[in-house]
Amino acid sequence: MDKEYLLKKWLNNDLTPEERKVFLEQDDYESNKAIIDSASAFKASQFNTTADFEDFKKQYHESKEKVKPLNWKSPVLKIASIIVVALTLYTAFYFNNTTEVKTVASEKTTFELPDASQVTLNSVSEISFSKRSWNSKRAVNLNGEAYFKVSKGNTFDVITSRGTVTVVGTEFNVKQRQNFFYVECYEGIVSVKSDTITRMLRAGDSFKIYNGAFSENHSNLIAPKWINNSSSFHAIALKDVLSELERQYNIEVTHKGVDTNSLFTGGFTHSNLEQALISITQPMNLNYELNSSNRVVLYENKH
């Protein structure tokens, strides 16, 4: 029987029992199967990386040493190879159009999105967005904290693991940490949705979910304090205040006999570590030791 005829029927899953027996006994069956199996792995919805294609090439070269070369004049195999290459290029193009901006400890950065919206990213935070689809969908993924000045236009979404913030053109702050989701609006109107809770925030309104508890508040602030190098807290566990201190100063804080679940209300500066430590420890009746390796130890004040 003609090899190409059997190959086409095999691809269509249309072999008779007799034809299948003949096809499986062909000396190039294994290499045919390897090519088609590798091609089928490159589905667009899977967004496989180019590493898959490198594995495919390696498998092919290994099989090439064991069996006779494929008949690359076969139209079916030509199509399969073109699909593999095309989808690999498409995958690389897709991922290269995702932009990421990250900050490390004690670093802040301000940048513009494709529509000239402005973002200021706080320490140890990251944002990603797609330039390619920006004109049709203004959306960013945020992990950490960022202050936004959004240009007017289509709906603008800030997506976090704790909830989504939706606006058109406004100024607002979003903070998402392990057990903390906080949104404050400074201009315009912001829609916030987290699980079953949805709120519309106007200038001065804030939305907070902390350790599973929801609360709302109002202030007269015109921008978040961290933009001007200070942090403020209201009834926040000391351990979370210390985590923010570590992010702002790139230090390690340990403690001896300190209840880090006790609540702290106050703030600290980002420009002077000693002053920041005094602002935290004095209200909590604590002392601190700071060594040259940027390690801080907190302990109870016995006096």
Side-chain angles (χ1 to χ4, degrees):
M1 297 184 183
D2 182 69
K3 285 187 176 182
E4 187 170 326
Y5 169 78
L6 291 177
L7 180 59
K8 289 180 180 179
K9 293 197 69 177
W10 174 63
L11 290 170
N12 292 324
N13 197 25
D14 197 30
L15 289 172
T16 66
E18 293 79 9
E19 290 171 334
R20 182 174 182 79
K21 180 179 179 181
V22 174
F23 180 75
L24 293 177
E25 292 175 349
Q26 291 180 353
D27 54 8
D28 58 354
Y29 165 73
E30 290 298 332
S31 52
N32 282 341
K33 186 176 184 299
I35 292 295
I36 301 304
D37 286 349
S38 296
S40 65
F42 283 83
K43 295 179 181 178
S45 61
Q46 300 288 331
F47 294 109
N48 289 358
T49 62
T50 53
D52 295 321
F53 187 53
E54 295 302 322
D55 289 342
F56 157 70
K57 290 195 297 182
K58 182 180 178 182
Q59 292 170 14
Y60 165 69
H61 286 303
E62 288 175 351
S63 65
K64 190 176 180 181
E65 297 174 0
K66 300 176 183 178
V67 300
K68 292 173 61 178
L70 290 172
N71 178 15
W72 288 101
K73 293 182 180 180
S74 166
V76 175
L77 295 183
K78 283 183 179 179
I79 292 171
S81 63
I82 290 171
I83 290 173
V84 171
V85 174
L87 289 177
T88 300
L89 292 175
Y90 171 78
T91 299
F93 176 78
Y94 174 84
F95 284 109
N96 286 341
N97 277 270
T98 298
T99 299
E100 292 185 347
V101 181
K102 298 181 180 181
T103 54
V104 296
S106 73
E107 177 190 22
K108 301 179 183 71
T109 187
T110 299
F111 60 96
E112 285 193 350
L113 295 169
D115 61 351
S117 293
Q118 189 179 88
V119 181
T120 301
L121 203 58
N122 203 351
S123 301
V124 192
S125 302
E126 59 184 276
I127 272 183
S128 63
F129 58 93
S130 172
K131 287 184 177 180
R132 186 166 59 90
S133 61
W134 188 261
N135 290 335
S136 59
K137 183 179 181 181
R138 298 198 300 173
V140 301
N141 292 284
L142 170 67
N143 182 16
E145 184 172 13
Y147 173 52
F148 297 85
K149 292 183 178 181
V150 178
S151 300
K152 291 185 177 181
N154 299 328
T155 299
F156 183 104
D157 290 329
V158 179
I159 303 165
T160 80
S161 62
R162 298 284 175 172
T164 299
V165 182
T166 302
V167 302
V168 174
T170 186
E171 296 183 22
F172 60 101
N173 188 75
V174 181
K175 182 175 185 177
Q176 176 267 314
R177 299 294 184 188
Q178 185 176 2
N179 57 346
F180 195 100
F181 181 50
Y182 179 81
V183 181
E184 186 164 10
C185 178
Y186 303 101
E187 180 183 289
I189 300 175
V190 171
S191 171
V192 186
K193 183 176 182 180
S194 179
D195 294 329
T196 60
I197 304 173
T198 302
R199 290 291 187 274
M200 297 294 292
L201 308 183
R202 290 173 170 79
D205 293 341
S206 63
F207 174 114
K208 181 171 74 173
I209 298 178
Y210 180 58
N211 287 332
F214 169 70
S215 63
E216 298 175 281
N217 208 340
H218 187 86
S219 75
N220 295 319
L221 294 175
I222 60 173
K225 288 188 175 181
W226 65 265
I227 293 292
N228 296 312
N229 293 321
S230 68
S231 292
S232 63
F233 309 88
H234 178 74
I236 299 298
L238 178 60
K239 61 184 178 182
D240 294 319
V241 176
L242 297 178
S243 292
E244 188 63 32
L245 183 73
E246 289 177 323
R247 282 189 285 267
Q248 296 300 334
Y249 284 98
N250 193 21
I251 60 174
E252 179 185 355
V253 180
T254 59
H255 53 85
K256 296 178 180 178
V258 176
D259 180 10
T260 57
N261 288 313
S262 56
L263 300 182
F264 174 84
T265 295
F268 63 80
T269 180
H270 298 176
S271 57
N272 186 307
L273 178 56
E274 292 268 8
Q275 187 176 335
L277 287 167
I278 291 171
S279 298
I280 295 172
T281 56
Q282 283 190 351
M284 304 298 289
N285 194 31
L286 301 173
N287 279 332
Y288 69 88
E289 292 178 0
L290 173 63
N291 61 34
S292 58
S293 60
N294 271 1
R295 293 189 61 189
V296 176
V297 181
L298 303 184
Y299 55 93
E300 289 186 351
N301 189 347
K302 302 291 185 179
H303 305 292

mmCIF file of all heavy atoms in Angstrom, residues 236-278:
data_model
loop_
_atom_site.group_PDB
_atom_site.id
_atom_site.type_symbol
_atom_site.label_atom_id
_atom_site.label_comp_id
_atom_site.label_asym_id
_atom_site.label_seq_id
_atom_site.Cartn_x
_atom_site.Cartn_y
_atom_site.Cartn_z
ATOM 1 N N ILE A 236 -3.347 48.617 62.669
ATOM 2 C CA ILE A 236 -2.708 47.563 61.865
ATOM 3 C C ILE A 236 -1.762 46.759 62.767
ATOM 4 O O ILE A 236 -1.045 47.332 63.595
ATOM 5 C CB ILE A 236 -1.920 48.175 60.693
ATOM 6 C CG1 ILE A 236 -2.867 48.956 59.767
ATOM 7 C CG2 ILE A 236 -1.188 47.097 59.896
ATOM 8 C CD1 ILE A 236 -3.943 48.115 59.120
ATOM 9 N N ALA A 237 -1.747 45.440 62.616
ATOM 10 C CA ALA A 237 -0.873 44.598 63.428
ATOM 11 C C ALA A 237 0.588 45.016 63.259
ATOM 12 O O ALA A 237 1.036 45.329 62.147
ATOM 13 C CB ALA A 237 -1.045 43.133 63.043
ATOM 14 N N LEU A 238 1.316 45.002 64.358
ATOM 15 C CA LEU A 238 2.709 45.437 64.331
ATOM 16 C C LEU A 238 3.527 44.652 63.315
ATOM 17 O O LEU A 238 4.409 45.215 62.654
ATOM 18 C CB LEU A 238 3.317 45.278 65.733
ATOM 19 C CG LEU A 238 4.784 45.648 65.884
ATOM 20 C CD1 LEU A 238 5.027 47.105 65.520
ATOM 21 C CD2 LEU A 238 5.268 45.345 67.304
ATOM 22 N N LYS A 239 3.251 43.361 63.157
ATOM 23 C CA LYS A 239 4.017 42.543 62.203
ATOM 24 C C LYS A 239 3.881 43.081 60.776
ATOM 25 O O LYS A 239 4.840 43.035 59.990
ATOM 26 C CB LYS A 239 3.576 41.084 62.263
ATOM 27 C CG LYS A 239 2.126 40.843 61.915
ATOM 28 C CD LYS A 239 1.757 39.370 62.094
ATOM 29 C CE LYS A 239 0.288 39.136 61.790
ATOM 30 N NZ LYS A 239 -0.095 37.709 62.011
ATOM 31 N N ASP A 240 2.713 43.628 60.418
ATOM 32 C CA ASP A 240 2.534 44.178 59.077
ATOM 33 C C ASP A 240 3.198 45.539 58.945
ATOM 34 O O ASP A 240 3.666 45.902 57.857
ATOM 35 C CB ASP A 240 1.038 44.272 58.745
ATOM 36 C CG ASP A 240 0.389 42.901 58.645
ATOM 37 O OD1 ASP A 240 1.018 41.995 58.070
ATOM 38 O OD2 ASP A 240 -0.730 42.722 59.156
ATOM 39 N N VAL A 241 3.243 46.300 60.042
ATOM 40 C CA VAL A 241 3.976 47.574 60.043
ATOM 41 C C VAL A 241 5.463 47.300 59.841
ATOM 42 O O VAL A 241 6.145 47.987 59.051
ATOM 43 C CB VAL A 241 3.735 48.336 61.361
ATOM 44 C CG1 VAL A 241 4.581 49.611 61.403
ATOM 45 C CG2 VAL A 241 2.259 48.669 61.521
ATOM 46 N N LEU A 242 5.976 46.282 60.526
ATOM 47 C CA LEU A 242 7.395 45.946 60.397
ATOM 48 C C LEU A 242 7.714 45.420 58.995
ATOM 49 O O LEU A 242 8.806 45.669 58.477
ATOM 50 C CB LEU A 242 7.786 44.910 61.460
ATOM 51 C CG LEU A 242 7.648 45.373 62.920
ATOM 52 C CD1 LEU A 242 8.013 44.244 63.869
ATOM 53 C CD2 LEU A 242 8.509 46.608 63.177
ATOM 54 N N SER A 243 6.788 44.701 58.379
ATOM 55 C CA SER A 243 6.998 44.247 56.997
ATOM 56 C C SER A 243 7.148 45.435 56.055
ATOM 57 O O SER A 243 7.985 45.424 55.152
ATOM 58 C CB SER A 243 5.826 43.370 56.547
ATOM 59 O OG SER A 243 5.813 42.155 57.252
ATOM 60 N N GLU A 244 6.345 46.481 56.277
ATOM 61 C CA GLU A 244 6.457 47.679 55.444
ATOM 62 C C GLU A 244 7.779 48.389 55.710
ATOM 63 O O GLU A 244 8.423 48.895 54.780
ATOM 64 C CB GLU A 244 5.280 48.615 55.717
ATOM 65 C CG GLU A 244 5.198 49.804 54.759
ATOM 66 C CD GLU A 244 4.973 49.396 53.313
ATOM 67 O OE1 GLU A 244 4.311 48.362 53.065
ATOM 68 O OE2 GLU A 244 5.488 50.105 52.419
ATOM 69 N N LEU A 245 8.201 48.407 56.961
ATOM 70 C CA LEU A 245 9.498 49.007 57.293
ATOM 71 C C LEU A 245 10.620 48.274 56.566
ATOM 72 O O LEU A 245 11.549 48.902 56.021
ATOM 73 C CB LEU A 245 9.716 48.950 58.808
ATOM 74 C CG LEU A 245 10.998 49.612 59.326
ATOM 75 C CD1 LEU A 245 10.892 51.126 59.257
ATOM 76 C CD2 LEU A 245 11.274 49.168 60.772
ATOM 77 N N GLU A 246 10.567 46.950 56.530
ATOM 78 C CA GLU A 246 11.580 46.154 55.828
ATOM 79 C C GLU A 246 11.590 46.483 54.337
ATOM 80 O O GLU A 246 12.663 46.573 53.718
ATOM 81 C CB GLU A 246 11.305 44.663 56.035
ATOM 82 C CG GLU A 246 11.590 44.177 57.443
ATOM 83 C CD GLU A 246 11.237 42.710 57.628
ATOM 84 O OE1 GLU A 246 10.222 42.266 57.040
ATOM 85 O OE2 GLU A 246 11.966 42.023 58.363
ATOM 86 N N ARG A 247 10.397 46.671 53.751
ATOM 87 C CA ARG A 247 10.330 46.990 52.316
ATOM 88 C C ARG A 247 10.921 48.362 52.018
ATOM 89 O O ARG A 247 11.598 48.553 51.006
ATOM 90 C CB ARG A 247 8.874 46.931 51.835
ATOM 91 C CG ARG A 247 8.344 45.533 51.601
ATOM 92 C CD ARG A 247 6.995 45.555 50.920
ATOM 93 N NE ARG A 247 5.924 45.940 51.825
ATOM 94 C CZ ARG A 247 5.180 45.096 52.525
ATOM 95 N NH1 ARG A 247 5.405 43.802 52.449
ATOM 96 N NH2 ARG A 247 4.211 45.534 53.315
ATOM 97 N N GLN A 248 10.665 49.316 52.891
ATOM 98 C CA GLN A 248 11.109 50.683 52.627
ATOM 99 C C GLN A 248 12.603 50.885 52.882
ATOM 100 O O GLN A 248 13.216 51.754 52.262
ATOM 101 C CB GLN A 248 10.303 51.681 53.469
ATOM 102 C CG GLN A 248 8.814 51.719 53.149
ATOM 103 C CD GLN A 248 8.524 52.094 51.707
ATOM 104 O OE1 GLN A 248 9.319 52.783 51.047
ATOM 105 N NE2 GLN A 248 7.381 51.657 51.198
ATOM 106 N N TYR A 249 13.197 50.076 53.761
ATOM 107 C CA TYR A 249 14.599 50.280 54.121
ATOM 108 C C TYR A 249 15.504 49.114 53.741
ATOM 109 O O TYR A 249 16.709 49.162 53.987
ATOM 110 C CB TYR A 249 14.721 50.554 55.628
ATOM 111 C CG TYR A 249 14.302 51.954 56.018
ATOM 112 C CD1 TYR A 249 13.021 52.201 56.512
ATOM 113 C CD2 TYR A 249 15.170 53.023 55.871
ATOM 114 C CE1 TYR A 249 12.624 53.484 56.869
ATOM 115 C CE2 TYR A 249 14.797 54.315 56.229
ATOM 116 C CZ TYR A 249 13.517 54.538 56.719
ATOM 117 O OH TYR A 249 13.134 55.819 57.070
ATOM 118 N N ASN A 250 14.947 48.064 53.172
ATOM 119 C CA ASN A 250 15.738 46.887 52.786
ATOM 120 C C ASN A 250 16.527 46.366 53.982
ATOM 121 O O ASN A 250 17.753 46.186 53.927
ATOM 122 C CB ASN A 250 16.682 47.216 51.620
ATOM 123 C CG ASN A 250 17.283 45.964 50.997
ATOM 124 O OD1 ASN A 250 16.752 44.875 51.147
ATOM 125 N ND2 ASN A 250 18.402 46.114 50.316
ATOM 126 N N ILE A 251 15.818 46.145 55.075
ATOM 127 C CA ILE A 251 16.430 45.636 56.299
ATOM 128 C C ILE A 251 15.704 44.363 56.727
ATOM 129 O O ILE A 251 14.659 44.007 56.182
ATOM 130 C CB ILE A 251 16.364 46.670 57.451
ATOM 131 C CG1 ILE A 251 14.894 47.018 57.751
ATOM 132 C CG2 ILE A 251 17.172 47.906 57.121
ATOM 133 C CD1 ILE A 251 14.709 47.917 58.945
ATOM 134 N N GLU A 252 16.259 43.710 57.737
ATOM 135 C CA GLU A 252 15.617 42.538 58.340
ATOM 136 C C GLU A 252 15.316 42.861 59.796
ATOM 137 O O GLU A 252 16.204 43.267 60.550
ATOM 138 C CB GLU A 252 16.523 41.314 58.256
ATOM 139 C CG GLU A 252 15.924 40.068 58.886
ATOM 140 C CD GLU A 252 16.885 38.898 58.898
ATOM 141 O OE1 GLU A 252 17.993 39.024 58.324
ATOM 142 O OE2 GLU A 252 16.544 37.864 59.512
ATOM 143 N N VAL A 253 14.048 42.680 60.188
ATOM 144 C CA VAL A 253 13.632 42.977 61.558
ATOM 145 C C VAL A 253 13.294 41.675 62.268
ATOM 146 O O VAL A 253 12.483 40.882 61.781
ATOM 147 C CB VAL A 253 12.411 43.912 61.589
ATOM 148 C CG1 VAL A 253 12.002 44.193 63.041
ATOM 149 C CG2 VAL A 253 12.715 45.217 60.860
ATOM 150 N N THR A 254 13.933 41.445 63.421
ATOM 151 C CA THR A 254 13.584 40.308 64.272
ATOM 152 C C THR A 254 13.140 40.861 65.631
ATOM 153 O O THR A 254 13.256 42.066 65.895
ATOM 154 C CB THR A 254 14.767 39.347 64.453
ATOM 155 O OG1 THR A 254 15.868 40.067 65.036
ATOM 156 C CG2 THR A 254 15.206 38.781 63.112
ATOM 157 N N HIS A 255 12.633 40.003 66.495
ATOM 158 C CA HIS A 255 12.141 40.489 67.792
ATOM 159 C C HIS A 255 12.305 39.422 68.854
ATOM 160 O O HIS A 255 12.375 38.216 68.558
ATOM 161 C CB HIS A 255 10.674 40.924 67.672
ATOM 162 C CG HIS A 255 9.779 39.872 67.076
ATOM 163 N ND1 HIS A 255 9.198 38.877 67.816
ATOM 164 C CD2 HIS A 255 9.386 39.666 65.789
ATOM 165 C CE1 HIS A 255 8.472 38.109 67.034
ATOM 166 N NE2 HIS A 255 8.567 38.556 65.787
ATOM 167 N N LYS A 256 12.354 39.874 70.099
ATOM 168 C CA LYS A 256 12.473 38.979 71.247
ATOM 169 C C LYS A 256 11.355 39.309 72.229
ATOM 170 O O LYS A 256 11.308 40.414 72.784
ATOM 171 C CB LYS A 256 13.839 39.158 71.925
ATOM 172 C CG LYS A 256 15.036 38.788 71.069
ATOM 173 C CD LYS A 256 16.335 39.047 71.808
ATOM 174 C CE LYS A 256 17.553 38.681 70.966
ATOM 175 N NZ LYS A 256 18.828 38.978 71.678
ATOM 176 N N GLY A 257 10.421 38.365 72.414
ATOM 177 C CA GLY A 257 9.349 38.554 73.385
ATOM 178 C C GLY A 257 8.396 39.677 73.053
ATOM 179 O O GLY A 257 7.815 40.297 73.960
ATOM 180 N N VAL A 258 8.213 39.985 71.777
ATOM 181 C CA VAL A 258 7.324 41.074 71.354
ATOM 182 C C VAL A 258 6.059 40.481 70.751
ATOM 183 O O VAL A 258 6.128 39.576 69.920
ATOM 184 C CB VAL A 258 8.028 41.982 70.321
ATOM 185 C CG1 VAL A 258 7.058 43.045 69.815
ATOM 186 C CG2 VAL A 258 9.261 42.629 70.947
ATOM 187 N N ASP A 259 4.901 41.003 71.165
ATOM 188 C CA ASP A 259 3.629 40.576 70.593
ATOM 189 C C ASP A 259 3.402 41.348 69.290
ATOM 190 O O ASP A 259 2.942 42.484 69.302
ATOM 191 C CB ASP A 259 2.486 40.842 71.577
ATOM 192 C CG ASP A 259 1.131 40.419 71.015
ATOM 193 O OD1 ASP A 259 1.110 39.747 69.945
ATOM 194 O OD2 ASP A 259 0.104 40.764 71.623
ATOM 195 N N THR A 260 3.745 40.717 68.177
ATOM 196 C CA THR A 260 3.638 41.422 66.890
ATOM 197 C C THR A 260 2.210 41.450 66.352
ATOM 198 O O THR A 260 1.960 42.033 65.291
ATOM 199 C CB THR A 260 4.561 40.767 65.842
ATOM 200 O OG1 THR A 260 4.229 39.383 65.703
ATOM 201 C CG2 THR A 260 6.012 40.923 66.242
ATOM 202 N N ASN A 261 1.261 40.836 67.071
ATOM 203 C CA ASN A 261 -0.151 40.932 66.668
ATOM 204 C C ASN A 261 -0.842 42.139 67.298
ATOM 205 O O ASN A 261 -1.987 42.442 66.955
ATOM 206 C CB ASN A 261 -0.906 39.653 67.060
ATOM 207 C CG ASN A 261 -0.512 38.473 66.196
ATOM 208 O OD1 ASN A 261 -0.457 38.577 64.975
ATOM 209 N ND2 ASN A 261 -0.220 37.345 66.831
ATOM 210 N N SER A 262 -0.160 42.819 68.220
ATOM 211 C CA SER A 262 -0.741 44.021 68.826
ATOM 212 C C SER A 262 -0.892 45.102 67.761
ATOM 213 O O SER A 262 -0.087 45.197 66.829
ATOM 214 C CB SER A 262 0.134 44.516 69.983
ATOM 215 O OG SER A 262 1.465 44.748 69.547
ATOM 216 N N LEU A 263 -1.940 45.919 67.905
ATOM 217 C CA LEU A 263 -2.287 46.885 66.865
ATOM 218 C C LEU A 263 -1.513 48.191 67.024
ATOM 219 O O LEU A 263 -1.297 48.693 68.133
ATOM 220 C CB LEU A 263 -3.794 47.163 66.893
ATOM 221 C CG LEU A 263 -4.687 45.942 66.651
ATOM 222 C CD1 LEU A 263 -6.159 46.354 66.655
ATOM 223 C CD2 LEU A 263 -4.328 45.249 65.340
ATOM 224 N N PHE A 264 -1.122 48.746 65.879
ATOM 225 C CA PHE A 264 -0.324 49.990 65.843
ATOM 226 C C PHE A 264 -1.085 51.041 65.047
ATOM 227 O O PHE A 264 -1.612 50.761 63.955
ATOM 228 C CB PHE A 264 1.023 49.719 65.186
ATOM 229 C CG PHE A 264 1.865 50.946 64.967
ATOM 230 C CD1 PHE A 264 2.663 51.452 65.983
ATOM 231 C CD2 PHE A 264 1.850 51.601 63.742
ATOM 232 C CE1 PHE A 264 3.446 52.579 65.779
ATOM 233 C CE2 PHE A 264 2.619 52.727 63.527
ATOM 234 C CZ PHE A 264 3.420 53.228 64.551
ATOM 235 N N THR A 265 -1.119 52.258 65.585
ATOM 236 C CA THR A 265 -1.661 53.407 64.865
ATOM 237 C C THR A 265 -0.595 54.498 64.893
ATOM 238 O O THR A 265 -0.133 54.896 65.969
ATOM 239 C CB THR A 265 -2.961 53.924 65.497
ATOM 240 O OG1 THR A 265 -3.973 52.914 65.376
ATOM 241 C CG2 THR A 265 -3.446 55.183 64.796
ATOM 242 N N GLY A 266 -0.201 54.938 63.729
ATOM 243 C CA GLY A 266 0.854 55.942 63.626
ATOM 244 C C GLY A 266 1.511 55.861 62.272
ATOM 245 O O GLY A 266 0.873 55.472 61.290
ATOM 246 N N GLY A 267 2.793 56.236 62.202
ATOM 247 C CA GLY A 267 3.484 56.208 60.911
ATOM 248 C C GLY A 267 4.984 56.302 61.083
ATOM 249 O O GLY A 267 5.496 56.392 62.211
ATOM 250 N N PHE A 268 5.696 56.269 59.947
ATOM 251 C CA PHE A 268 7.155 56.444 59.986
ATOM 252 C C PHE A 268 7.635 57.036 58.666
ATOM 253 O O PHE A 268 6.994 56.903 57.621
ATOM 254 C CB PHE A 268 7.876 55.128 60.281
ATOM 255 C CG PHE A 268 7.701 54.047 59.244
ATOM 256 C CD1 PHE A 268 8.440 54.048 58.067
ATOM 257 C CD2 PHE A 268 6.806 53.014 59.451
ATOM 258 C CE1 PHE A 268 8.294 53.056 57.110
ATOM 259 C CE2 PHE A 268 6.643 52.012 58.511
ATOM 260 C CZ PHE A 268 7.386 52.027 57.345
ATOM 261 N N THR A 269 8.780 57.707 58.724
ATOM 262 C CA THR A 269 9.391 58.303 57.546
ATOM 263 C C THR A 269 10.186 57.266 56.759
ATOM 264 O O THR A 269 10.650 56.276 57.333
ATOM 265 C CB THR A 269 10.313 59.471 57.946
ATOM 266 O OG1 THR A 269 10.897 60.031 56.763
ATOM 267 C CG2 THR A 269 11.421 59.000 58.871
ATOM 268 N N HIS A 270 10.354 57.515 55.462
ATOM 269 C CA HIS A 270 11.147 56.618 54.617
ATOM 270 C C HIS A 270 12.576 57.131 54.420
ATOM 271 O O HIS A 270 13.355 56.508 53.702
ATOM 272 C CB HIS A 270 10.505 56.477 53.231
ATOM 273 C CG HIS A 270 9.139 55.872 53.252
ATOM 274 N ND1 HIS A 270 8.372 55.738 52.118
ATOM 275 C CD2 HIS A 270 8.403 55.363 54.266
ATOM 276 C CE1 HIS A 270 7.209 55.183 52.435
ATOM 277 N NE2 HIS A 270 7.212 54.955 53.734
ATOM 278 N N SER A 271 12.895 58.255 55.052
ATOM 279 C CA SER A 271 14.187 58.889 54.775
ATOM 280 C C SER A 271 15.189 58.803 55.924
ATOM 281 O O SER A 271 16.341 59.204 55.765
ATOM 282 C CB SER A 271 13.966 60.365 54.415
ATOM 283 O OG SER A 271 13.279 61.037 55.460
ATOM 284 N N ASN A 272 14.790 58.276 57.077
ATOM 285 C CA ASN A 272 15.695 58.212 58.226
ATOM 286 C C ASN A 272 15.314 56.990 59.057
ATOM 287 O O ASN A 272 14.288 56.990 59.754
ATOM 288 C CB ASN A 272 15.591 59.497 59.056
ATOM 289 C CG ASN A 272 16.611 59.545 60.184
ATOM 290 O OD1 ASN A 272 16.716 58.622 60.987
ATOM 291 N ND2 ASN A 272 17.344 60.643 60.273
ATOM 292 N N LEU A 273 16.140 55.949 59.018
ATOM 293 C CA LEU A 273 15.795 54.688 59.676
ATOM 294 C C LEU A 273 15.690 54.846 61.196
ATOM 295 O O LEU A 273 14.761 54.316 61.808
ATOM 296 C CB LEU A 273 16.817 53.612 59.318
ATOM 297 C CG LEU A 273 16.609 52.242 59.966
ATOM 298 C CD1 LEU A 273 15.217 51.686 59.669
ATOM 299 C CD2 LEU A 273 17.688 51.265 59.501
ATOM 300 N N GLU A 274 16.633 55.534 61.809
ATOM 301 C CA GLU A 274 16.592 55.714 63.263
ATOM 302 C C GLU A 274 15.292 56.403 63.687
ATOM 303 O O GLU A 274 14.636 56.000 64.644
ATOM 304 C CB GLU A 274 17.803 56.539 63.719
ATOM 305 C CG GLU A 274 19.134 55.827 63.574
ATOM 306 C CD GLU A 274 19.523 55.088 64.845
ATOM 307 O OE1 GLU A 274 18.691 54.998 65.774
ATOM 308 O OE2 GLU A 274 20.661 54.584 64.911
ATOM 309 N N GLN A 275 14.924 57.454 62.954
ATOM 310 C CA GLN A 275 13.704 58.176 63.277
ATOM 311 C C GLN A 275 12.478 57.285 63.061
ATOM 312 O O GLN A 275 11.522 57.325 63.850
ATOM 313 C CB GLN A 275 13.601 59.425 62.402
ATOM 314 C CG GLN A 275 12.435 60.343 62.774
ATOM 315 C CD GLN A 275 12.421 61.613 61.942
ATOM 316 O OE1 GLN A 275 13.453 62.046 61.439
ATOM 317 N NE2 GLN A 275 11.238 62.199 61.793
ATOM 318 N N ALA A 276 12.514 56.473 62.007
ATOM 319 C CA ALA A 276 11.402 55.564 61.745
ATOM 320 C C ALA A 276 11.244 54.545 62.872
ATOM 321 O O ALA A 276 10.129 54.251 63.317
ATOM 322 C CB ALA A 276 11.619 54.855 60.406
ATOM 323 N N LEU A 277 12.374 54.010 63.358
ATOM 324 C CA LEU A 277 12.323 53.031 64.445
ATOM 325 C C LEU A 277 11.785 53.647 65.735
ATOM 326 O O LEU A 277 11.012 53.015 66.467
ATOM 327 C CB LEU A 277 13.713 52.447 64.667
ATOM 328 C CG LEU A 277 14.193 51.468 63.591
ATOM 329 C CD1 LEU A 277 15.688 51.194 63.743
ATOM 330 C CD2 LEU A 277 13.395 50.165 63.667
ATOM 331 N N ILE A 278 12.171 54.870 66.010
ATOM 332 C CA ILE A 278 11.663 55.560 67.208
ATOM 333 C C ILE A 278 10.152 55.761 67.100
ATOM 334 O O ILE A 278 9.404 55.560 68.067
ATOM 335 C CB ILE A 278 12.377 56.915 67.393
ATOM 336 C CG1 ILE A 278 13.844 56.691 67.765
ATOM 337 C CG2 ILE A 278 11.681 57.755 68.454
ATOM 338 C CD1 ILE A 278 14.687 57.951 67.756
#
